[in-house]
Amino acid sequence: MPKPLFVLYISALLSVTLSVSTTLHAATAATDTNGGRLHIVATLAPLASLASMVAGEHATVTTLLTSNADPHDFQLKPSQRVQLMNADLVIGVGPTLEGRIWEGSTNTRKPFRILQLQSLTTLSILQNRGFDLHTADHAHDHTQNNLHTIDPHMWLSIKNAKQIVLAITNHLIKVAPAKISVWQKNSNAAIAQLSTLEKDLQKEMQPLKKLRYIISHDGYQYFEKEYGLAPAGLVALDNEHIPSARRLNELRKQVLNTKIDCVFYEKRLGEQYVALLTENTAIKKIPLDHLGVSGVTQNQAIYPALLRQLASSFSSCQTL
């Protein structure tokens, strides 16, 4: 016998109420166990690192994505949605890179509790490159209509990282104005640390401007442009597109007929294609990572270690 509509309505109402109650309880519990510190959620480890430099011991900084995850198609777990709801500040690139993370997760937050890098006008924003690396247009464009064409890996520029630190500082001042002196002191220290890193890498990268290399994923141009580098070829424009047989054949001819110092690849993408390109050659195959550093878990150390590791990888490409 079918249940009366009134009974069905009450059952549905109780189910929704229980779900909301559970979510709110989890959010409250997270606050209570945080020792009075702010809770910052960053989508990526490099951004969590920059946030930790500013927040120090006055916040717990959580990273949503591990270094193995692909930001483009990452699916949030229910517990991670609770983290986003409960966060005092959420930091990420934005829908350009982590589209699904932002879908309905933070749209009720106050603006100063959300920091999307793609919306910062203080950053140097580059446009995505095509396979013709010499004719790509890299003009800055922050308009909404062109967000889908921007290269979202802007944290790989130390100049941008400094601006991200300043943006995080401004947001924390709004979230917790009583700690303004702490945020400003930590921010100044972070900028000084990044300036030292910048000088060190400029010196290390100076001899590498004539490197000829192929890269599996076009995710490093912010780092490359900062040090006068440019790839001789790209296997794929992004993680979402598999290179065609024609593209691989063109690159294979380039490898065989021109001087290529090395081929860079990401372990998440491109290792199999690099093996095809370098088969029966002595060309170096070198892994890159733009999301984190294996073995480095302390938040504040991740960003400097990541940039130093990238510099070391490019240095190892150089042939004697």
Side-chain angles (χ1 to χ4, degrees):
M1 178 179 178
K3 294 183 179 179
L5 289 177
F6 176 75
V7 173
L8 292 174
Y9 171 78
I10 292 298
S11 298
L13 183 61
L14 287 173
S15 175
V16 171
T17 303
L18 179 61
S19 175
V20 171
S21 175
T22 301
T23 299
L24 291 176
H25 175 75
T28 303
T31 301
D32 291 342
T33 58
N34 206 32
R37 291 177 295 176
L38 297 180
H39 183 204
I40 300 172
V41 175
T43 56
L44 309 173
L47 306 185
S49 182
L50 295 173
S52 293
M53 290 181 186
V54 180
E57 63 184 11
H58 299 276
T60 298
V61 183
T62 303
T63 305
L64 282 182
L65 280 75
T66 65
S67 58
N68 312 336
D70 184 350
H72 297 277
D73 58 9
F74 181 77
Q75 296 280 0
L76 284 171
K77 299 175 184 177
S79 60
Q80 291 172 321
R81 290 193 178 277
V82 171
Q83 284 182 333
L84 288 174
M85 289 174 59
N86 186 50
D88 295 293
L89 177 60
V90 178
I91 305 170
V93 173
T96 301
L97 182 65
E98 320 116 340
R100 294 187 179 183
I101 289 178
W102 298 98
E103 289 174 0
S105 298
T106 55
N107 55 9
T108 61
R109 306 294 292 171
K110 295 180 180 179
F112 63 80
R113 295 186 185 271
I114 299 175
L115 173 55
Q116 290 186 353
L117 304 191
Q118 68 179 41
S119 301
L120 290 178
T121 57
T122 55
L123 298 189
S124 174
I125 300 294
L126 301 176
Q127 302 297 303
N128 283 321
R129 296 182 289 197
F131 287 126
D132 187 350
L133 299 168
H134 302 290
T135 60
D137 177 16
H138 300 291
H140 300 178
D141 196 333
H142 293 267
T143 63
Q144 189 66 32
N145 292 334
N146 289 279
L147 287 178
H148 68 285
T149 70
I150 70 172
D151 183 336
H153 308 91
M154 58 275 290
W155 66 88
L156 293 180
S157 158
I158 296 180
K159 292 181 176 62
N160 278 347
K162 292 179 182 180
Q163 294 301 321
I164 294 168
V165 163
L166 293 176
I168 292 170
T169 304
N170 290 335
H171 277 66
L172 287 178
I173 289 172
K174 293 176 182 176
V175 171
K179 290 188 170 68
I180 183 171
S181 61
V182 172
W183 309 139
Q184 289 177 338
K185 179 182 177 181
N186 290 351
S187 178
N188 291 339
I191 296 295
Q193 182 180 356
L194 291 173
S195 294
T196 299
L197 177 65
E198 191 173 31
K199 290 177 182 177
D200 290 347
L201 296 195
Q202 287 286 1
K203 184 177 180 179
E204 182 175 352
M205 301 297 289
Q206 182 62 33
L208 307 180
K209 293 185 178 181
K210 293 184 179 180
L211 276 184
R212 285 188 56 80
Y213 58 89
I214 291 173
I215 197 164
S216 67
H217 165 221
D218 189 25
Y220 296 86
Q221 68 164 321
Y222 287 96
F223 183 84
E224 291 165 332
K225 283 189 166 293
E226 204 137 283
Y227 304 107
L229 302 170
L234 302 171
V235 177
L237 296 180
D238 54 48
N239 286 344
E240 298 177 324
H241 294 88
I242 297 173
S244 65
R246 178 181 176 182
R247 180 66 191 160
L248 291 173
N249 188 48
E250 289 173 351
L251 290 173
R252 175 65 177 172
K253 289 179 180 178
Q254 188 177 6
V255 165
L256 294 176
N257 300 324
T258 65
K259 182 184 182 298
I260 297 295
D261 296 303
C262 70
V263 179
F264 291 113
Y265 68 94
E266 291 181 23
K267 293 180 180 178
R268 291 179 298 276
L269 169 83
E271 193 166 3
Q272 68 271 36
Y273 304 124
V274 168
L276 290 173
L277 295 179
T278 59
E279 186 177 11
N280 298 324
T281 73
I283 293 176
K284 297 179 183 178
K285 301 179 286 292
I286 302 172
L288 290 179
D289 197 340
H290 59 322
L291 291 180
V293 180
S294 177
V296 180
T297 57
Q298 203 269 333
N299 262 344
Q300 293 190 33
I302 288 174
Y303 186 83
L306 172 62
L307 271 289
R308 290 190 187 278
Q309 179 176 274
L310 278 179
S312 177
S313 295
F314 276 88
S315 295
S316 68
C317 177
Q318 192 173 32
T319 55
L320 299 176

